Amino acid sequence: IVCMRSFTVRHYQTRPLPRGRTPAANISSFSSLRLGRAVVTILTCTKLFRPVSPLLTKPPPRSIFCISQLIMPPFTRSSSTLQSSVEGDMSGVGADWKSMTVVQLKAQLKELGLPVSGVKSVLIERLEGEAAAGIVASTTATTTTSKYFAEKPSSPAAVATKAKGNGAAKTPTKRGSPTKSKSPGRSPKRVRIEPGSLKPPANWQKIYSLVEELRADRSAPVDTDGGEALPEKHLGEVVYRFQVLVALMLSSQTKDAVVGETMRILQQHGLTVENIHQTDHDTLNGLIKKVGFHNNKTKFLKQSAEIILTQYNGDIPPTADELMKLPGVGPKMAYIVENIAFDTASGIGVDTHMHRMFNDLRWVTSKTPEETREQLEGWLPRDKWGSINYIWVGFGQEVQQQKEKMLKKCLASSSPREALGLVKKLRLDVKKEAKRFGLEDEIKSVM
């Protein structure tokens, strides 16, 4: 036992540390190795060493090390730690073989009892092959002989692949940032809500009727500067429809008052598809410079005018699906243009204000205006699809921009308490605005 112990210390003192292993980890390996040598010596002398005798076909350092790992107590090391220590001991050095000199490589081969003749590449190949064979033996022994670990034995293909991978130098990776495994296949698409498939919210008809009553005077900004009010009907249906499209294209990210002013400038210039197509880019951009994103809108107007002339004989596309193919036209614009120009409602045009209001009322639970549109179409009757945008956009404008007028309209309505509660749900601070406009007494008497 003393002789084996001294041999072990000398062996590991002259052997370089494998990559990724610390001296502390090797010290524990020394202890287990010395213990394993002692036990093997005793068992061999008493002829009780037959179950693990095949492992002795390898040179002493490697075989005894494998056996020592098998007889370690379960509380000392886990299965993964034992296997990684064996792999690190046998193949970790492989990463440094290419940087070693021929003399050092021959010393390694001599320790393993292998031939030392040949060039450097042959020596490295011989060491890699020996390391791979050692890993296969240690892996098989760990998974089949040890009674302390219940891991399933690896398949021959997996063991061979693992041994082959350990023979070459491993690319170091950052610690603590494991690679994310890609899920097989694509994530399922969101299921489209079919019209009429959802249950309507409670009391929606009462609220809808109340909003229609509050919008009966048609005094919101959209009533004077919206896509329905601005086009010139006296110039014919074709020009009227094209101006409806232009008004909706200009309205994106722009207030209705600015849209109305810009539309009147274009009408003075001549707002027909032929004239817009002939107008140069810089001139058209100067005419609509007050609207938001006027550079993009100039490009979209020029491209749309060319498509209308070449593909639709000077008239705008007749359906929402075809309108959406025009540059700068989305679902909201397409459905509104279709409703105003052709008196057809194949969908609901929902803008950001409607999206916010319907979520505040809990009529929908959505994150985007497009989801709001689908959910509304899921329960709202089709006879409301054409008017809901015009009514609710104007109502939202009055709640946000004309608060005094809205409070007075609520007080004069058939259900003042419900009307004030409705605008309060839509984020109008009734008490603050009542105090500001001197309507506290009237509102207190109602509430």
Side-chain angles (χ1 to χ4, degrees), residues 394 410 415:
C410 290
S415 303

Side-chain angles (χ1 to χ4, degrees), residues 75-367:
F75 56 84
T76 306
R77 288 188 175 187
S78 63
S79 170
S80 58
T81 307
L82 292 179
Q83 186 172 345
S84 62
S85 65
V86 174
E87 293 175 6
D89 226 298
M90 299 312 305
S91 63
V93 186
D96 297 328
W97 282 332
K98 293 183 180 180
S99 61
M100 296 173 65
T101 64
V102 175
V103 176
Q104 292 173 332
L105 291 172
K106 288 184 177 181
Q108 291 282 332
L109 290 168
K110 191 174 181 180
E111 288 183 5
L112 298 175
L114 298 174
V116 295
S117 61
V119 295
K120 185 176 180 179
S121 59
V122 176
L123 301 179
I124 294 175
E125 185 179 355
R126 196 172 296 155
L127 285 168
E128 288 176 350
E130 187 67 14
I135 293 169
V136 172
S138 62
T139 305
T140 307
T142 305
T143 54
T144 56
T145 310
S146 176
K147 65 178 181 180
Y148 297 113
F149 311 113
E151 292 186 358
K152 294 181 179 180
S154 304
S155 62
V159 173
T161 305
K162 191 172 185 180
K164 184 178 180 181
N166 284 327
K170 296 182 180 179
T171 303
T173 57
K174 291 185 178 180
R175 195 170 184 178
S177 58
T179 56
K180 296 181 180 179
S181 60
K182 296 181 180 180
S183 57
R186 296 180 179 179
S187 57
K189 293 183 179 180
R190 180 169 57 90
V191 179
R192 190 183 186 282
I193 300 173
E194 296 296 330
S197 61
L198 298 181
K199 182 180 179 181
N203 299 325
W204 75 270
Q205 291 176 319
K206 185 177 181 180
I207 296 175
Y208 200 99
S209 299
L210 184 58
V211 173
E212 288 179 327
E213 179 185 348
L214 295 172
R215 286 278 291 122
D217 58 351
R218 296 291 189 268
S219 59
V222 69
D223 296 310
T224 55
D225 294 318
E228 189 173 355
L230 290 171
E232 299 171 306
K233 293 183 179 180
H234 64 280
L235 296 179
E237 291 294 326
V238 175
V239 175
Y240 172 75
R241 287 193 285 265
F242 178 70
Q243 291 191 7
V244 170
L245 174 63
V246 173
L248 266 297
M249 292 179 71
L250 296 177
S251 67
S252 175
Q253 303 293 321
T254 307
K255 290 185 177 181
D256 285 339
V258 179
V259 174
E261 181 182 354
T262 304
M263 281 290 293
R264 294 180 185 96
I265 294 173
L266 288 174
Q267 288 169 351
Q268 292 176 0
H269 172 74
L271 188 51
T272 62
V273 63
E274 295 83 4
N275 196 24
I276 294 299
H277 184 258
Q278 295 173 2
T279 304
D280 62 273
H281 183 278
D282 294 337
T283 302
L284 183 59
N285 193 27
L287 293 173
I288 67 170
K289 62 182 180 181
K290 292 185 178 180
V291 301
F293 303 99
H294 58 87
N295 292 323
N296 289 335
K297 291 177 181 179
T298 300
K299 180 177 64 176
F300 295 153
L301 285 172
K302 294 287 292 181
Q303 293 174 349
S304 298
E306 183 175 358
I307 293 172
I308 290 170
L309 285 173
T310 57
Q311 300 182 20
Y312 295 96
N313 298 323
D315 201 355
I316 66 172
T319 64
D321 291 336
E322 293 180 88
L323 284 165
M324 282 184 240
K325 296 178 182 178
L326 297 177
V329 178
K332 181 201 77 171
M333 294 184 196
Y335 290 126
I336 297 174
V337 170
E338 182 189 50
N339 181 43
I340 297 175
F342 299 101
D343 195 22
T344 303
S346 62
I348 301 174
V350 177
D351 64 359
T352 55
H353 304 291
M354 294 173 63
H355 166 66
R356 174 183 53 81
M357 287 189 292
F358 293 142
N359 274 280
D360 290 342
L361 294 174
R362 305 297 173 86
W363 284 7
V364 296
T365 305
S366 59
K367 295 182 179 180

